[in-house]
Amino acid sequence: MANLKSLAKDTVIYGLTGMVGRFLNYLLVPLYTARISAASGGYGTITNIYAYTALIIIILTFGMETTFFRFANKEGEDPKSVISTSLLAVTGVSAVFVLLVLLLLPWLAPLMGYADHPSYIWVMAVVVALDAVQSILYAYLRYQHKPIKFASLKFAFIFLNIFLNLLYFWLLPEIYEKHPSWVSGIYDPSVGVGYAFYLNLVCTGLVTLLFWKELKSIKFTIDRSLLKRMLKYTWPLLVLGIVGILNQTIDKILYPIIDTSANGRVQLGIYGAACKIAMIMAIITNAFRWAYEPFVFGKSRDKDNREAYAAAMKYFIIFTLLAFLMVVAWIDVLKYIIGRDYWEGLKVVPIVMAAEIMMGVYFNLSFWYKLTDKTIWGAIFSLIGCIVMIIINVVFVPHYGYMACAWGGFTGYGLTMVLCYIVGRKYYPINYPLKDIGIYTGLAALLYAASVVVDWGGSFENVTYRTLLLLVFAAVLVKKENVMDKIVEFKHRRHQRT
């Protein structure tokens, strides 16, 4: 229980960082969708390029975050040597990547559809390289149990990025419209969506400098023997990571390739904007991941670890289902996050959220092959899911548009989750509370169906009705988990200690 309390504490800190940070970043969504019309396809460009960067950062980090935790907690390994070797390996790969992009840019930009804007490509290449280096440094902070500094640096990037985006997408355009000479030296309206990428580079570079204390404390030497062992462990994680991120981004990469019409990027922008509302699931799963990964590897030697993993799975599913119902209940309010001309894409939100829940469940299940050093299984599961998703996109996008993208993700993650559970029962059996999980999942599905079937005709009435359904789920949760009794017991124990 003490370990679960520690997990809960770290989850709160990392979770607040992710939730508040993602919420603040949501300020960019209404900003972009208000200043960039859906018809222009500009937001589709942002969605497409960021999908590429999400894939590339997985390649540049090649599973070294997880590998760092595994080896830093392994008996006989020197944590200082592990962090140094990990950081230098990722930095070296990232530097080579940036060099290759610069050399191949005249060929690469037209291939990706950005012949008129090659700067978008090289700027984001530098950004993603710096992000890769930062990922190891953030992992180092988590290993050292420094969630406060972790959060501080995350917020430093967020606030600076929001400030500069508000400046360049709202204030400076307003000033330029009335008094162009006042700001012509620092603002050019022809740059347009390009500012989204250039400002990201400025913010990422400045935050990298804030890691100077950590960089100063690391002895930059590579242990070649250690690196070989780490690469042997991590290469399946690289495959797993590539395939896993393709499951999240392949639809946004493939869409303008499949739909080559002028409407392709427009529809991609609408889909990408709607997906932002569904990303509350990603916030929760990422918060859980940041706290759960060091918890799992640090507890791998304990006798009661499997019981703790089972309990953590149940509570993860409970709270993600609660979040799902919250978004569904308040979708008529949350839709104002994006511009009105993007609202037609709201129908994908529940599907994408359900897919994110299954991705989170898969992540929790996946620790059996990480702890048993059978990471090849993760690559196999994700590859199968990715192939299914690609097939669904290629076959159905021409007929059903971005709805095929949403259902492709749902199917791919669902299949991956099921395969991981079935095989995991053989190699690392954990007695998950399937009955409780089934009850909560079934209840959430029933309440969601009730919220969709009944339409009261007005936003206020629908929000009220769906909130009542949400409260039904919460009431069952409080009753079934004896929440009130646990609160009383907690207060009693605290009173005894004082």
Side-chain angles (χ1 to χ4, degrees):
M1 288 302 295
N3 285 285
L4 282 175
K5 289 179 180 178
S6 176
L7 171 63
K9 179 182 176 182
D10 283 356
T11 300
V12 168
I13 296 176
Y14 292 127
L16 284 176
T17 303
M19 289 182 181
V20 176
R22 188 63 65 93
F23 173 75
L24 291 173
N25 268 330
Y26 270 159
L27 292 175
L28 298 180
V29 179
L31 177 66
Y32 288 154
T33 55
R35 308 297 296 195
I36 305 170
S37 68
S40 71
Y43 195 73
T45 296
I46 292 175
T47 300
N48 181 242
I49 288 184
Y50 276 107
Y52 278 108
T53 59
L55 170 62
I56 293 168
I57 195 170
I58 295 297
I59 298 173
L60 298 186
T61 54
F62 51 95
M64 270 295 175
E65 287 178 87
T66 299
T67 303
F68 164 74
F69 281 115
R70 177 59 172 162
F71 280 80
N73 287 284
K74 207 170 186 179
E75 289 185 6
E77 301 291 357
D78 179 11
K80 293 182 179 179
S81 181
V82 173
I83 180 59
S84 176
T85 300
S86 302
L87 185 60
L88 286 176
V90 171
T91 301
V93 171
S94 299
V96 171
F97 165 74
V98 172
L99 181 60
L100 287 175
V101 168
L102 293 175
L103 291 174
L104 299 175
L105 191 61
W107 170 80
L108 193 60
L111 180 66
M112 295 176 64
Y114 297 102
D116 295 334
H117 302 284
S119 61
Y120 294 178
I121 308 303
W122 74 258
V123 165
M124 291 311 296
V126 176
V127 168
V128 77
L130 292 175
D131 280 340
V133 174
Q134 285 187 19
S135 70
I136 302 302
L137 294 171
Y138 277 120
Y140 189 41
L141 292 178
R142 289 158 56 203
Y143 172 76
Q144 294 180 309
H145 299 289
K146 293 183 177 180
I148 301 300
K149 181 159 188 179
F150 179 99
S152 299
L153 292 176
K154 289 286 185 180
F155 282 132
F157 173 84
I158 291 165
F159 284 120
L160 181 59
N161 193 38
I162 290 174
F163 168 75
L164 291 177
N165 273 274
L166 286 171
L167 184 65
Y168 276 84
F169 281 93
W170 174 62
L171 184 58
L172 292 180
E174 292 292 327
I175 296 174
Y176 186 90
E177 192 173 321
K178 297 177 182 178
H179 306 283
S181 61
W182 290 6
V183 294
S184 59
I186 59 173
Y187 176 76
D188 180 358
S190 65
V191 174
V193 297
Y195 280 121
F197 310 122
Y198 305 147
L199 297 178
N200 196 332
L201 176 60
V202 171
C203 297
T204 303
L206 291 175
V207 170
T208 302
L209 297 177
L210 297 179
F211 280 101
W212 66 272
K213 285 188 177 180
E214 284 69 32
L215 292 170
K216 187 177 179 182
S217 68
I218 297 172
K219 294 182 179 179
F220 291 97
T221 57
I222 288 185
D223 185 329
R224 294 189 178 183
S225 175
L226 171 63
L227 180 59
K228 288 181 181 179
R229 296 195 302 275
M230 293 178 77
L231 291 176
K232 182 179 179 181
Y233 177 87
T234 200
W235 78 261
L237 292 180
L238 171 59
V239 177
L240 167 64
I242 291 173
V243 177
I245 201 65
L246 280 175
N247 282 332
Q248 299 179 54
T249 62
I250 192 63
D251 51 352
K252 301 171 184 67
I253 293 174
L254 286 178
Y255 200 97
I257 298 174
I258 297 172
D259 185 353
T260 57
S261 68
N263 197 44
R265 290 196 190 276
V266 174
Q267 293 299 303
L268 177 60
I270 292 172
Y271 174 61
C275 285
K276 290 294 183 181
I277 297 177
M279 284 301 103
I280 190 169
M281 286 297 115
I283 296 172
I284 293 174
T285 54
N286 280 335
F288 198 83
R289 173 178 177 259
W290 289 331
Y292 196 50
E293 199 164 52
F295 165 78
V296 167
F297 287 122
K299 193 172 172 57
S300 59
R301 303 186 191 96
D302 294 355
K303 293 181 180 179
D304 65 337
N305 58 355
R306 302 192 191 207
E307 289 80 3
Y309 300 158
M313 171 70 87
K314 184 180 81 167
Y315 292 120
F316 170 80
I317 291 176
I318 287 173
F319 288 111
T320 51
L321 290 174
L322 188 62
F324 175 88
L325 292 175
M326 287 174 63
V327 174
V328 169
W330 301 328
I331 191 66
D332 285 337
V333 176
L334 294 173
K335 66 183 181 181
Y336 288 98
I337 291 174
I338 61 178
R340 288 179 179 270
D341 49 345
Y342 294 85
W343 285 3
E344 67 175 77
L346 292 174
K347 54 196 173 188
V348 306
V349 171
I351 305 169
V352 175
M353 282 197 300
E356 287 289 339
I357 291 176
M358 290 189 288
M359 182 187 73
V361 172
Y362 167 66
F363 173 79
N364 292 340
L365 291 170
S366 69
F367 275 97
W368 72 258
Y369 60 71
K370 295 176 184 177
L371 290 171
T372 57
D373 294 344
K374 298 182 183 296
T375 48
I376 185 63
W377 279 108
I380 294 171
F381 300 146
S382 292
L383 182 60
I384 293 172
C386 185
I387 291 173
V388 169
M389 186 176 177
I390 291 173
I391 291 173
I392 290 175
N393 274 262
V394 171
V395 173
F396 294 107
V397 162
H399 304 287
Y400 300 102
Y402 54 73
M403 288 301 295
C405 298
W407 282 112
F410 180 94
T411 307
Y413 280 131
L415 180 60
T416 302
M417 175 187 69
V418 171
L419 290 174
C420 187
Y421 173 76
I422 292 173
V423 180
R425 295 292 295 173
K426 175 182 178 181
Y427 290 100
Y428 199 87
I430 296 176
N431 293 320
Y432 293 109
L434 297 181
K435 182 179 178 180
D436 288 346
I437 292 172
I439 289 172
Y440 287 121
T441 304
L443 177 60
L446 181 63
L447 294 173
Y448 169 68
S451 71
V452 173
V453 171
V454 179
D455 186 349
W456 294 91
S459 294
F460 177 77
E461 292 84 356
N462 282 330
V463 169
T464 302
Y465 167 65
R466 292 167 185 167
T467 301
L468 291 175
L469 295 177
L470 171 64
L471 292 176
V472 170
F473 185 88
V476 173
L477 170 62
V478 170
K479 178 67 176 177
K480 185 170 176 55
E481 297 299 319
N482 299 315
V483 173
M484 299 309 297
D485 291 342
K486 291 177 181 178
I487 292 175
V488 171
E489 181 183 354
F490 172 75
K491 289 183 177 179
H492 178 68
R493 288 181 178 178
R494 188 174 64 176
H495 178 70
Q496 285 183 327
R497 288 197 299 268
T498 57

